[in-house]
Amino acid sequence: MVSERRDPPFGGSVVFLLMNLPLGVVAFAFLTVFLSAGAGTAVVWVGVGLLAAVVLAVRGAARLERARVYALLDRYIDLPYLPLPAGKQVERWKGRVKDPSTWRDLTYFALLFPVGLVEFVLVTTFWATSLALVGLPVYFRWLPGGEYHFPAWEVPWLTVDSTVEALPWAALGVLFVALSVALTRALAGTHARLASALLGPTVAQRHRMERWWEDAEEKNLVAG
């Protein structure tokens, strides 16, 4: 179950979005290496162990990701995994592999790198622009020649060499700060919905889990 929709906290959103790119790089490298090695050596059974390790790692990482979403974005995501069948380990492994949630976890981490890259570029670009404009009345005098040139030093369409001239840019920076705050929260909210869609249970899974628990309760009552 996902908590009611509302804007995620700003501080948590910034930390969450900046974390996504490095985590996405790690996830992409892990999946690329282990899936390639596992598929290439499956014929000699070594790859089967590697693929099994990927399944366990992905499901474990998905649990940590749900906790990260809850801690930083205040979005709770229910566990979607269907109960594993009782009996031999072979049957339990079949249950893990056949569970759609395993593959949706894998999809989430495969997407985390490109999604995290886009989020990182947008957040850093907007905030760097905002802070540079807001602080221009202070730091322009320490630039080469004590001047700020827009858009570049070699192409000085506009020149700022006094505090008075820098104030309109600072006012524009305040507007950019407001836009950056809104963008940060919007990106975090969108990512939270993506995480809920891929890491949370579907309607069909909820019904299956409800039926499983009902059957388990009936069996316990009969056994009692």
Side-chain angles (χ1 to χ4, degrees), residues 175-196:
L175 175 60
F176 264 82
V177 168
L179 291 175
S180 298
V181 171
L183 175 70
T184 300
R185 285 181 166 169
L187 288 175
T190 301
H191 195 114
R193 288 189 287 274
L194 173 66
S196 299

Side-chain angles (χ1 to χ4, degrees), residues 141-152:
R141 55 182 54 86
W142 285 287
L143 296 176
E147 298 176 341
Y148 171 74
H149 296 280
F150 178 85

Side-chain angles (χ1 to χ4, degrees), residues 67-204:
R68 187 171 75 101
V69 171
Y70 179 66
L72 296 176
L73 303 184
D74 196 21
R75 297 290 198 278
Y76 179 76
I77 304 175
D78 278 333
L79 288 177
Y81 305 118
L82 299 174
L84 296 177
K88 298 180 179 179
Q89 284 296 326
V90 174
E91 298 301 322
R92 295 174 67 84
W93 274 105
K94 287 182 179 179
R96 292 188 182 95
V97 173
K98 291 181 179 179
D99 191 342
S101 297
T102 300
W103 300 101
R104 287 163 57 226
D105 290 347
L106 184 63
T107 301
Y108 175 85
F109 286 108
L111 292 175
L112 187 58
F113 171 56
V115 171
L117 178 60
V118 172
E119 292 170 343
F120 185 87
V121 170
L122 288 175
V123 169
T124 55
T125 299
F126 267 76
W127 278 106
T129 302
S130 302
L131 297 178
L133 290 173
V134 169
L136 185 59
V138 176
Y139 70 80
F140 78 88
R141 55 182 54 86
W142 285 287
L143 296 176
E147 298 176 341
Y148 171 74
H149 296 280
F150 178 85
W153 181 265
E154 298 81 7
V155 190
W157 293 352
L158 294 173
T159 300
V160 175
D161 57 5
S162 69
T163 302
V164 174
E165 292 180 347
L167 290 178
W169 293 86
L172 180 62
V174 173
L175 175 60
F176 264 82
V177 168
L179 291 175
S180 298
V181 171
L183 175 70
T184 300
R185 285 181 166 169
L187 288 175
T190 301
H191 195 114
R193 288 189 287 274
L194 173 66
S196 299
L198 293 177
L199 301 181
T202 62
V203 174

Side-chain angles (χ1 to χ4, degrees), residues 19-34 109 112-113:
M19 290 176 65
N20 286 340
L21 179 57
L23 290 177
V25 171
V26 173
F28 180 81
F30 175 84
L31 292 177
T32 301
V33 172
F34 279 81
F109 286 108
L112 187 58
F113 171 56

